[in-house]
């Protein structure tokens, strides 16, 4: 179904998320810190990233910014045990798709992933439509140029 990267420093949470997502038919990779997560992101090109806010080597919001700068179409879902108001607002402003609190229920996770997949597909289709429009405009300009020369 989808290529998903889980970046979470909590091994138990990472394993549980990976098992749940694999059980739902997704291809899952994982990392336990920001450096490993960014390396896995760059090499694996996942459609969806599940990202913990609290990582040992970098704040999750910094990882979010890096992912969005390198690949704006990647859907990032923030996962955390921290239940404050400020962090979700910051994450959403920086481009996160959604924000889920741990512990995650399997059904809640799968619903969020399905929504994220629809969002990813819409972004892909929009990008393709934009590329087609640019190509059409180029061909139209070339046609006008040729008609002007004739």
């Amino acid at each position: 179904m989808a290529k998903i990267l889980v970046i979470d420093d909590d091994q138990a949470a990472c394993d549980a998320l990976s098992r749940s997502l694999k059980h739902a038919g997704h291809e899952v990779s994982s990392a336990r810190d920001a450096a490993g997560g960014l390396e896995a992101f760059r090499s694996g090109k996942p459609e969806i990233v599940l990202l913990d806010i609290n990582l040992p080597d970098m704040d999750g919001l910094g990882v979010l910014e890096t992912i969005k700068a390198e690949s704006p179409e990647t859907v990032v879902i923030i996962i955390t045990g921290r239940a404050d108001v400020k962090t979700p607002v910051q994450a959403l402003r920086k481009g996160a798709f959604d924000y889920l609190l741990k512990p995650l229920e399997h059904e809640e996770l799968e619903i969020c992933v399905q929504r994220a997949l629809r969002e990813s597909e819409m972004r892909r289709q929009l990008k393709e439509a934009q590329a087609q429009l640019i190509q059409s405009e180029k061909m139209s300009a070339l046609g006008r140029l040729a008609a002007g020369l004739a």
Side-chain angles (χ1 to χ4, degrees):
M1 295 231 0
K3 223 173 165 181
I4 300 174
L5 170 62
V6 178
I7 305 173
D8 194 327
D9 63 330
D10 180 349
Q11 185 66 49
C14 202
D15 291 345
L17 284 169
S18 294
R19 272 193 311 275
S20 182
L21 292 165
K22 285 178 182 175
H23 180 73
H26 304 292
E27 181 184 331
V28 183
S29 58
S30 63
R32 300 270 317 276
D33 58 21
L38 289 172
E39 182 180 320
F41 167 74
R42 290 176 181 128
S43 64
K45 305 290 185 210
E47 298 168 71
I48 299 171
V49 175
L50 294 172
L51 174 62
D52 188 11
I53 288 290
N54 298 315
L55 297 171
D57 57 340
M58 179 189 241
D59 182 67
L61 294 176
V63 177
L64 170 63
E65 287 178 323
T66 301
I67 289 172
K68 293 311 254 179
E70 293 180 18
S71 177
E73 66 276 359
T74 301
V75 178
V76 180
I77 300 168
I78 299 296
I79 53 173
T80 190
R82 192 186 323 171
D84 62 2
V85 174
K86 184 179 174 186
T87 306
V89 171
Q90 287 176 324
L92 294 170
R93 284 184 178 156
K94 292 178 188 275
F97 174 73
D98 206 344
Y99 186 93
L100 299 174
L101 290 174
K102 295 178 191 175
L104 301 177
E105 296 294 326
H106 175 75
E107 295 80 19
E108 175 188 31
L109 176 62
E110 189 56 30
I111 288 169
C112 188
V113 165
Q114 291 304 317
R115 285 182 35 245
L117 284 172
R118 285 192 297 274
E119 176 74 15
S120 178
E121 179 62 19
M122 286 182 356
R123 289 179 186 182
R124 187 190 61 73
Q125 288 175 354
L126 179 60
K127 192 174 182 178
E128 286 177 6
Q130 287 172 333
Q132 288 175 354
L133 180 59
I134 290 168
Q135 186 63 26
S136 290
E137 288 174 358
K138 286 179 183 177
M139 295 304 288
S140 176
L142 184 60
R144 287 191 302 270
L145 177 62
L149 291 174

